[in-house]
Amino acid sequence: MKPRVEAGAVDVALSWARLMDYLALTKPRITVFVVLSTTVGFVVGATGVFETARLLHTLLATVLVASGSAVLNQFLERNTDARMSRTANRPLPAGRLHNEEAYLFGLLLSGAGILYMGLQINWLAGFLAGLTTVIYLFLYTPLKRRSTHNTAVGAVAGALPPMGGWAAAQGEIGGGAWLLFGILFLWQFPHFFSIAWIYRDDYARGGFKMISIDDPAGRRTATQIGVYSAILLAFSFLPWLAGLTGLLYAAVAAAAGICLLYCAIVFVKVRTLENARRLLRSTLVYLPLLWIALLFDTFL
């Protein structure tokens, strides 16, 4: 009996490990950010009676689309991921999952999410979900190996979730949706440029054309970070000036924006790995704080 118990335990462990690998393919931490951004767009864009069920359907579709796009991205980049230390242990380059499995899994998630959004919510939201997937997979992903402008293209795809949430709530794209799009678009530059600096050697091994690779001294990378952080600070007040939010959001936008800009300026002056990591952490704190303040201000 003992060997059977041990064999059963091994089977359970292997099944659990396989499940975790499938979950890792979906990049759940990024999906959480996408869901939060979509929620902000929906809540701010909602007029009249707030429909909780509609929001839940929107978020379910968003999870499916974002997860599927992440899976397909890793499928497309499996060979370059194998050359970089930070990604070599992902399920596909490490050989723990077959490429065909990931491809079908990603197609199923993305296709189901886009159709679910269109059929259950509206086709404008479904179109935006599909557009996000197309830009991310067919423009941004191949451009990473060809041009340093890939971040700008990727930032467009990354900034569409709040617009999709707004469209899901209203059935149209209002001016406020563009303001949320702009905030998320600008935020991605200090965020991803700091990552590009931290992992510049890794990106070079992977063959990616990141801004930091052709900038050994880091001056251009740091300058871009400083400029975009300053623009983001100014732009973040527009929802308040447009009457979409109240003083709570404005206060958080000022405090969080100044802290982010300070970290950016420190990195501009002293381009060290420690300062780059501090800047990266500040971007990861900045966006949730801003979005949560916006949600609270909308409900209050």
Side-chain angles (χ1 to χ4, degrees), residues 75-108:
F75 168 78
L76 293 172
E77 293 186 342
R78 61 193 183 279
N79 294 326
T80 52
D81 280 349
R83 297 198 293 267
M84 299 190 297
S85 59
R86 65 186 289 261
T87 56
N89 196 43
R90 285 177 174 176
L92 294 183
R96 295 193 302 274
L97 293 177
H98 295 296
N99 296 332
E100 295 79 7
E101 294 177 277
Y103 178 67
L104 292 175
F105 183 47
L107 279 181
L108 177 63

Side-chain angles (χ1 to χ4, degrees), residues 27-40 62 66 158 161-162 184 187 191 283-289 291:
K27 297 182 179 178
R29 286 182 295 181
I30 294 178
T31 300
V32 169
F33 272 84
V34 173
V35 167
L36 178 58
S37 298
T38 303
T39 302
V40 169
T62 299
L184 194 48
W187 170 83
H191 176 71
T283 65
L284 292 172
V285 172
Y286 172 88
L287 189 63
L289 275 180
W291 282 165

Side-chain angles (χ1 to χ4, degrees), residues 154-215:
V156 173
L160 284 173
M163 187 172 284
W166 187 291
Q170 282 200 9
E172 61 183 13
I173 300 174
W178 286 105
L179 295 181
L180 300 179
F181 173 92
I183 290 173
L184 194 48
F185 178 82
L186 292 168
W187 170 83
Q188 290 175 85
F189 288 92
H191 176 71
F192 285 113
F193 283 171
S194 60
I195 293 175
W197 171 262
I198 294 169
Y199 298 105
R200 58 193 181 279
D201 294 334
D202 227 10
Y203 281 123
R205 283 191 293 271
F208 290 121
K209 303 291 185 181
M210 307 305 290
I211 185 175
S212 55
I213 293 175
D214 297 327
D215 182 31

Side-chain angles (χ1 to χ4, degrees), residues 61 64-65 107-123 126-127 129-130:
L64 292 173
V65 175
L107 279 181
L108 177 63
L109 290 176
S110 297
I114 293 169
L115 287 175
Y116 189 81
M117 185 76 85
L119 293 171
Q120 185 66 40
I121 305 301
N122 60 62
W123 283 109
F127 168 76

